[in-house]
Amino acid sequence: MSFRAANGKLLSDDVTHYVVPDCKVVQEYLEILEFPELKGIIFMQTACQAVQHQKGRRQYNKLRNLLKDPRHDCTVFANEFHQHCYLPREKGESMEKWQSRNIYNAAAWYYNHCLGQMPVVMVTEDEDAIRQFGNETEGVFVISFKNYLDNFWPDLKAAHELFDSITQARRERESESQENHGKEYPEHLPLEVLEAGIKSGRYLQGTLNVNKHRAQLEAFVRLQGCGSKDTELQSDILIYGTKARNRAIHGDVVVVELLPVQEWKGRTVALCENETEDKAPADTTGDPMPTGKVVGITQKNWRDYVVTFPSKEESQSQGRNAQKVLVTPWDYRIPKIRISTQQAEALQDYRVVVRIDSWESTSLYPNGHFVRVLGRIGDLEGEIAAILVENSICAAPFSEIQVKPEEVEKRLDLRDTHLIFSIDPKGCEDVDDALSVRALPRGRLELGVHIADVTHFVPADSYTDVEARARATTCYLADRRYDMLPSVLSADLCSLLSGVDRYAVSVLWELEEESYEALSVRYTRSVIRSSYKLEYEVAQGLLDGDPGVLGDIPELKHLDEGARQKKVSELAWAICKLTEIARHARARRDRSGALELEGIEIRVQLDEKRNIHDLIPRQPLEVHETVAECMILANHWVAKKIWEDFPHQALLRQHPPPRQEFFTELRECASAKGFSIDTRSNKALAESLDKANDPSDPLVNKLLRSMATHAMANALYFSTGSCPEEEFHHYGLALDKYTHFTSPIRRYADIVVHRLLLAGGAAGPGKDHVSSSKDLEELCRHINNRNRAAQRAQKQSTELFQCMYFRDRSPETDERCVADGVIYSIRTNGVLVFVPRYGIKGAAYMRNKEGLVISCGGGGSCEWKAGSLHRSQGQITSTPTSGGSLTLRLFDHITVRILVQSSRCHADTIRLEILSDAPQPCAARQAAPSSAQLGRADLVRAVTQGAGEAQRAQEKGRGEVLEEEYREFCQTKGPSLYQLLEEIRELALLDVSTEARAEL
């Protein structure tokens, strides 16, 4: 039989029994209960509340997500709100005994409620409960969790291994707490003391961010709303050394006490190689900055961590107990984790997932347990799996979806009245948007932006909606993508393909004839039939009057010459008129201070063996900006509309002005070339960047714009009820209100905005799905986190393929490992170099580990000699004891060799070596792109050709995936758009234009 619980979720009817875990089992073994093989699980409210109160918010959210996930056959029963299930706590009864008694009583009621047709198994770690309740009720069995796994799931090997790992880790933890009495770290202050200290201003609260390049030394705390209004501290707080970090892990929300001013230190300004030094040379630090120590942790944001077991040699040096192993996390920012396992030797060559259980004050390292194996070190699939785990990205298959048709009569029918078409990159399948423009009486125009009506196929709180909300965004890696929605929706039913009827949400403006000012606007659900699915190059050809592109429009091929000419004339007029409208819209934003990051994309030409043969600059097209401005216009008007309808419950996107101190490096670099950058406003910044042009080297302006972007704050989704209206402004786009509406196939924020827009004009059911401001604020926080994770994963996968490309080439003999680079930052022991040919950046040292400095001979070639380095404004000078000195300045072009620095425990990295202080002869002043996204895609193709038989099996579909990956970053966007950007503080210089497009 099946049974529908209070939350409406239907338990499976093909199970032999229901399982009721008690509090301890849910707290300790939730990872095993997540196994999809375990079905018919009933989580009692008593157990869920125990997790919330004793395990914290993160573990509780995991449990909530498990209960919501349609792929897992489990539900929650509110036993404490049921008259016959709740038992009051008896005098002198411990909390644990009361919880077990309550859960057993609810399990017995559940069995009787099912008329005794379904046995109920309560699993517990409480021996007393097993003895007391084991034979009390026929049909209700009370056994240990180990007994349950042994008897019901004897062949589920992964569950048994995980159970052993968790149990052993717990025993070791308990044993260690009894044996160790010495304190390695001070105890954290009680929560009530921390809260009082924050309120009084004695303590400060923020998120801990560890410097991945100096993980043993430096961490910074970004403040979260200072408790005292008198606090004038505006910068981050430096946490110097692991002792001052006091067991806090990267990402934790911590409480900090400032040290006396005389104990403040400066951040490291020297290049470093992620080594484990525990102190920095005195001459490599900058000016002292606020420095503090962690006195408490208010929220532990622990997650799954990818680790590597020590090699056999390292294992022998770790100590007497071979079962206790220190594993090294893939992420440099995470400390080593001690786990107990008997599989250490067998897992030496694999990437493995572990979870942290605790970090006691008596232990140098956190304690954790083994979860699962990902794959071999260096294997493509294993490394990709590591990236996904590190960024908590879901790659599981979607649950089944059912689509119900809707009557066309309920929508505005535009199929026969409007010429509608889409403009996208070649090979694009998931078409989010389409455009239309037509003449109206009295010389006016109607502009239409038509967006796929995803919400029709994804009802609120449906299984598909729950999965899409959890993913929040489509994640694009270098060679694949992980969709937010099932492909039946993203590439078919929702995609606005040509020649087929599709449901859309349309925004229609009536525009004035000459100024193109909006006279009125209409928001409506519609049914459309796109007439053309154009590629960007074809649309540009029509705009330029080039008849050569007509053969690339498949919709025209079946027409006779007369009909064809008529259709071409109509389409060309529409594209030209859209471009005029877009120019006026862009001019209005420019007058308000919109920022722009110009970029030239490149295409990598491959030879017959799939090796990189040449780099061909891809010039930006005006039609890119045409489409993008229409999308910006729609997003802006929809933002105003949903705010008017729901002033405290609208999802908007804000981009706050950057802090002025973040522009210091930009101003210094610009002054080195004789330019002055005014950063007092977005308009002043945009005008300054426009003037900072070096006619002899276009890379100078591109790098300055990249630095400007790097200084920006992140653009974030927010609930209008949690933020004053004066903070709604989008600094980069120069708009007072902005949101995301135009890409609901790949962004969950757009789905929320669609629901708000449609609910605003509806009565009844539509408003039922409008979230409260508090719930929306939590959802925005989740989406922002998922967006950042997807961007990190994309960046890491790109770096993986770059390393795989160069790893198999000899840097000494292969000319592809030598390239022209431009210096964009000066450090105390070297320079940071941007290599436009491959779209990478990296450190080039001028002092090596032996203390020798670089020296260039008369022919320009370099070698290492004894000597000294001197860094000054905009330059660094190497003075060897013999021979002439070498001075490198900002924006100098040099020749570098590209090498791969391999690591067992971490991701491989690109390293640069200076070969000459002169530009590479064949590349001198070559036009270079500011975005290498297309080059990277082709580079991925070259790498995957040699990735082995496992990869060749997927080769057929990979070309389409790569085109779709390119579409994600180019669809309806031009390379010179988005200008200001977000979430790129961690991204490479070439990622800037990619991030810019994310604002669409």
Side-chain angles (χ1 to χ4, degrees):
M1 66 174 291
S2 61
F3 185 78
R4 186 178 297 275
N7 64 349
K9 193 172 180 182
L10 193 68
L11 290 176
S12 174
D13 58 2
D14 63 352
V15 296
T16 60
H17 62 279
Y18 289 149
V19 186
V20 177
D22 79 344
C23 298
K24 192 73 171 178
V25 171
V26 177
Q27 291 179 55
E28 298 290 344
Y29 301 107
L30 182 60
E31 300 158 64
I32 300 177
L33 297 174
E34 289 174 330
F35 277 53
E37 291 86 353
L38 273 62
K39 298 181 178 181
I41 304 175
I42 302 171
F43 291 94
M44 294 298 172
Q45 174 193 0
T46 301
C48 295
Q49 289 179 340
V51 172
Q52 182 180 19
H53 296 149
Q54 297 177 35
K55 283 295 185 179
R57 175 181 166 186
R58 191 175 185 85
Q59 187 80 347
Y60 181 61
N61 284 339
K62 282 186 63 177
L63 175 58
R64 289 176 60 193
N65 292 334
L66 174 66
L67 289 165
K68 293 176 183 177
D69 194 330
R71 293 177 297 248
H72 293 276
D73 186 34
C74 61
T75 190
V76 63
F77 178 56
N79 62 301
E80 295 189 16
F81 293 113
H82 196 286
Q83 179 181 0
H84 301 293
C85 294
Y86 177 76
L87 297 175
R89 186 175 172 185
E90 297 177 351
K91 185 176 181 180
E93 185 178 26
S94 69
M95 176 65 72
E96 292 76 12
K97 296 299 181 184
W98 171 75
Q99 289 171 336
S100 295
R101 189 164 59 91
N102 237 359
I103 290 175
Y104 172 77
N105 186 60
W109 179 90
Y110 217 95
Y111 170 73
N112 292 319
H113 184 68
C114 295
L115 305 179
Q117 298 182 36
M118 182 67 70
V120 175
V121 179
M122 175 180 169
V123 290
T124 178
E125 293 296 284
D126 186 348
E127 295 293 338
D128 292 338
I130 295 174
R131 285 191 295 269
Q132 180 179 354
F133 304 123
N135 299 311
E136 187 168 304
T137 305
E138 183 180 358
V140 179
F141 304 90
V142 183
I143 60 177
S144 70
F145 194 39
K146 185 179 190 313
N147 193 1
Y148 175 74
L149 292 176
D150 290 341
N151 288 281
F152 288 84
W153 301 99
D155 299 325
L156 194 55
K157 183 180 177 182
H160 287 273
E161 290 178 348
L162 185 53
F163 178 86
D164 292 340
S165 176
I166 295 172
T167 302
Q168 189 171 0
R170 190 178 74 241
R171 289 171 181 166
E172 294 285 355
R173 190 164 68 246
E174 293 170 352
S175 173
E176 182 181 90
S177 64
Q178 294 173 1
E179 294 174 1
N180 294 346
H181 302 291
K183 301 285 187 183
E184 297 290 348
Y185 297 95
E187 293 290 348
H188 294 146
L189 297 179
L191 182 60
E192 58 271 18
V193 175
L194 297 176
E195 291 175 344
I198 294 170
K199 188 174 182 180
S200 68
R202 177 179 179 182
Y203 302 138
L204 301 169
Q205 181 174 254
T207 303
L208 184 77
N209 290 285
V210 178
N211 180 355
K212 67 179 180 180
H213 299 294
R214 190 78 72 176
Q216 295 297 311
L217 281 179
E218 290 184 352
F220 302 91
V221 173
R222 177 66 52 84
L223 300 183
Q224 292 182 344
C226 298
S228 170
K229 294 181 180 179
D230 298 329
T231 302
E232 297 181 357
L233 194 63
Q234 295 296 322
S235 69
D236 296 341
I237 300 173
L238 171 64
I239 309 296
Y240 191 84
T242 55
K243 292 293 184 183
R245 214 174 294 172
N246 195 7
R247 294 171 286 146
I249 292 174
H250 174 78
D252 285 351
V253 179
V254 299
V255 178
V256 175
E257 181 179 19
L258 284 177
L259 297 176
V261 175
Q262 58 269 25
E263 296 182 28
W264 288 8
K265 299 180 180 294
R267 69 173 71 214
T268 304
V269 293
L271 299 174
C272 49
E273 297 183 356
N274 293 306
E275 296 182 352
T276 57
E277 312 104 61
D278 57 4
K279 61 181 180 178
D283 62 344
T284 64
T285 58
D287 296 333
M289 64 180 297
T291 306
K293 63 180 181 180
V294 173
V295 295
I297 302 174
T298 56
Q299 183 177 319
K300 295 177 180 177
N301 288 321
W302 299 349
R303 54 175 174 82
D304 288 0
Y305 298 103
V306 178
V307 303
T308 305
F309 279 74
S311 64
K312 185 176 294 186
E313 296 76 15
E314 293 171 325
S315 297
Q316 293 172 352
S317 66
Q318 277 200 6
R320 53 182 176 79
N321 194 337
Q323 291 187 355
K324 289 185 178 181
V325 183
L326 276 179
V327 295
T328 304
W330 187 85
D331 188 340
Y332 282 100
R333 300 170 297 186
I334 308 303
K336 289 183 178 181
I337 302 167
R338 181 167 54 224
I339 67 170
S340 298
T341 179
Q342 298 177 346
Q343 306 179 62
E345 186 173 347
L347 297 175
Q348 286 177 359
D349 298 325
Y350 291 85
R351 300 282 189 218
V352 173
V353 177
V354 303
R355 288 177 183 167
I356 295 176
D357 298 314
S358 66
W359 194 348
E360 306 299 333
S361 60
T362 55
S363 176
L364 277 173
Y365 302 100
N367 294 298
H369 64 271
F370 163 85
V371 177
R372 68 182 186 276
V373 176
L374 293 179
R376 284 189 174 273
I377 297 172
D379 175 71
L380 176 62
E381 292 305 316
E383 298 298 330
I384 290 292
I387 290 173
L388 295 177
V389 170
E390 279 295 311
N391 292 284
S392 304
I393 291 172
C394 176
F398 286 93
S399 58
E400 293 184 7
I401 179 172
Q402 294 182 345
V403 176
K404 298 180 180 179
E406 180 183 75
E407 295 181 10
V408 172
E409 286 75 11
K410 296 180 180 179
R411 295 172 174 265
L412 178 64
D413 193 344
L414 306 177
R415 290 173 293 180
D416 299 324
T417 57
H418 288 63
L419 173 62
I420 298 175
F421 54 91
S422 61
I423 305 176
D424 294 289
K426 183 178 181 180
C428 174
E429 292 184 354
D430 45 347
V431 181
D432 281 291
D433 53 82
L435 297 167
S436 67
V437 62
R438 63 172 183 163
L440 297 177
R442 295 177 295 172
R444 293 176 178 176
L445 294 171
E446 181 193 73
L447 169 66
V449 172
H450 314 276
I451 307 301
D453 188 1
V454 172
T455 59
H456 166 66
F457 299 99
V458 184
D461 298 323
S462 63
Y463 283 172
T464 304
D465 183 53
V466 170
E467 292 182 57
R469 186 190 310 143
R471 298 178 186 225
T473 180
T474 294
C475 179
Y476 292 83
L477 302 188
D479 69 329
R480 66 195 73 188
R481 78 181 191 191
Y482 295 97
D483 289 321
M484 185 187 76
L485 293 173
S487 59
V488 67
L489 296 181
S490 61
D492 186 8
L493 295 175
C494 293
S495 185
L496 305 183
L497 305 173
S498 66
V500 292
D501 294 350
R502 287 291 182 262
Y503 297 142
V505 178
S506 298
V507 184
L508 302 166
W509 294 268
E510 183 177 344
L511 304 179
E512 200 276 330
E513 181 179 9
E514 294 182 359
S515 67
Y516 300 118
E517 291 287 344
L519 302 175
S520 64
V521 62
R522 180 181 183 185
Y523 310 91
T524 182
R525 271 184 154 153
S526 61
V527 57
I528 68 171
R529 183 185 299 126
S530 176
S531 299
Y532 305 97
K533 182 175 178 290
L534 301 176
E535 298 169 7
Y536 278 121
E537 291 76 13
V538 173
Q540 186 65 45
L542 290 171
L543 184 62
D544 297 336
D546 179 9
V549 301
L550 300 183
D552 296 325
I553 306 177
E555 293 87 352
L556 298 177
K557 291 183 178 179
H558 66 283
L559 301 177
D560 59 49
E561 186 62 28
R564 182 178 170 186
Q565 288 300 325
K566 181 182 179 182
K567 294 285 187 182
V568 169
S569 177
E570 293 174 348
L571 182 58
W573 176 87
I575 294 175
C576 291
K577 190 58 65 175
L578 282 174
T579 302
E580 291 179 20
I581 295 171
R583 288 170 184 163
H584 281 73
R586 174 69 206 207
R588 283 194 293 270
R589 290 198 304 110
D590 283 343
R591 289 192 293 270
S592 299
L595 293 174
E596 181 176 3
L597 290 172
E598 292 290 347
I600 302 175
E601 297 186 351
I602 63 168
R603 176 172 58 87
V604 176
Q605 189 179 74
L606 305 179
D607 60 21
E608 295 178 355
K609 296 181 179 180
R610 308 296 291 171
N611 296 317
I612 292 180
H613 175 68
D614 197 7
L615 290 166
I616 303 173
R618 183 185 293 268
Q619 296 298 327
L621 306 175
E622 185 174 13
V623 73
H624 286 145
E625 288 206 31
T626 296
V627 177
E629 281 300 326
C630 292
M631 298 303 111
I632 295 172
L633 189 67
N635 287 334
H636 174 51
W637 279 79
V638 168
K640 293 192 294 183
K641 173 62 176 172
I642 62 175
W643 175 73
E644 290 171 2
D645 291 337
F646 303 100
H648 303 294
Q649 298 161 277
L651 186 152
L652 299 187
R653 191 159 177 81
Q654 64 182 167
H655 187 224
R659 284 157 53 173
Q660 288 299 307
E661 60 265 29
F662 291 164
F663 284 123
T664 301
E665 185 175 12
L666 169 65
R667 288 191 290 260
E668 290 176 353
C669 289
S671 65
K673 274 289 186 178
F675 301 124
S676 176
I677 303 294
D678 186 349
T679 61
R680 290 175 296 179
S681 69
N682 53 355
K683 184 174 178 63
L685 177 60
E687 292 173 349
S688 300
L689 289 172
D690 288 341
K691 296 174 183 177
N693 258 316
D694 184 346
S696 64
D697 188 0
L699 266 177
V700 171
N701 186 261
K702 300 179 189 303
L703 288 174
L704 289 175
R705 291 183 184 275
S706 298
M707 292 177 193
T709 304
H710 190 71
M712 301 296 169
N714 295 333
L716 299 169
Y717 298 110
F718 70 100
S719 167
T720 52
S722 65
C723 186
E725 186 178 353
E726 57 267 21
E727 296 180 10
F728 290 5
H729 186 76
H730 197 294
Y731 177 87
L733 298 179
L735 294 171
D736 61 338
K737 293 177 184 68
Y738 193 71
T739 192
H740 276 164
F741 160 77
T742 54
S743 294
I745 290 177
R746 62 184 177 90
R747 291 188 305 229
Y748 191 76
D750 301 54
I751 291 180
V752 176
V753 169
H754 276 234
R755 289 179 180 144
L756 287 167
L757 179 66
L758 297 171
K767 289 184 168 60
D768 293 342
H769 299 297
V770 176
S771 302
S772 67
S773 178
K774 183 178 180 181
D775 290 342
L776 183 58
E777 185 179 358
E778 183 177 346
L779 177 60
C780 289
R781 186 161 43 244
H782 166 71
I783 296 174
N784 290 330
N785 290 336
R786 290 293 84 219
N787 283 348
R788 282 191 290 268
Q791 289 169 354
R792 287 194 302 268
Q794 180 218 336
K795 176 178 180 286
Q796 290 163 358
S797 71
T798 298
E799 292 169 346
L800 168 64
F801 277 94
Q802 287 173 336
C803 289
M804 292 182 73
Y805 178 79
F806 288 107
R807 187 172 62 193
D808 298 329
R809 287 168 169 75
S810 170
E812 302 295 335
T813 59
D814 196 321
E815 64 179 12
R816 286 168 293 193
C817 295
V818 177
D820 185 67
V822 57
I823 297 170
Y824 68 90
S825 185
I826 306 290
R827 302 298 173 88
T828 57
N829 60 340
V831 294
L832 294 177
V833 179
F834 169 54
V835 182
R837 178 177 176 183
Y838 295 111
I840 60 178
K841 71 172 185 177
Y845 288 84
M846 297 182 68
R847 179 191 289 122
N848 64 16
K849 293 181 179 179
E850 288 73 37
L852 303 179
V853 300
I854 199 163
S855 172
C856 287
S861 60
C862 296
E863 56 183 333
W864 297 103
K865 292 183 177 180
S868 61
L869 286 180
H870 176 69
R871 176 195 183 201
S872 57
Q873 184 72 29
Q875 65 181 39
I876 184 171
T877 300
S878 170
T879 307
T881 53
S882 61
S885 62
L886 166 68
T887 298
L888 296 180
R889 299 174 177 82
L890 283 170
F891 304 112
D892 278 356
H893 284 250
I894 59 176
T895 301
V896 296
R897 176 181 287 132
I898 303 170
L899 307 98
V900 176
Q901 185 168 315
S902 298
S903 170
R904 276 190 76 251
C905 301
H906 309 285
D908 292 349
T909 55
I910 293 290
R911 187 165 61 87
L912 303 178
E913 183 180 280
I914 300 175
L915 295 183
S916 169
D917 61 346
Q920 187 186 24
C922 63
R925 298 303 183 269
Q926 181 181 2
S930 68
S931 173
Q933 186 61 44
L934 295 181
R936 289 172 178 171
D938 282 322
L939 183 145
V940 167
R941 291 193 184 99
V943 172
T944 52
Q945 289 294 317
E949 292 299 325
Q951 306 308 315
R952 295 190 186 98
Q954 303 175 14
E955 187 174 326
K956 181 178 180 181
R958 185 146 299 161
E960 297 176 0
V961 171
L962 289 169
E963 290 295 339
E964 292 165 355
E965 182 247 3
Y966 169 45
R967 177 207 55 73
E968 143 70 47
F969 300 101
C970 296
Q971 182 182 359
T972 69
K973 324 165 177 54
S976 63
L977 295 175
Y978 282 38
Q979 343 233 47
L980 232 182
L981 325 162
E982 58 192 292
E983 282 121 67
I984 40 177
R985 193 170 298 281
E986 298 180 274
L987 299 185
L989 286 173
L990 281 188
D991 292 331
V992 164
S993 61
T994 298
E995 284 305 306
R997 299 187 200 97
E999 268 312 295
L1000 290 175

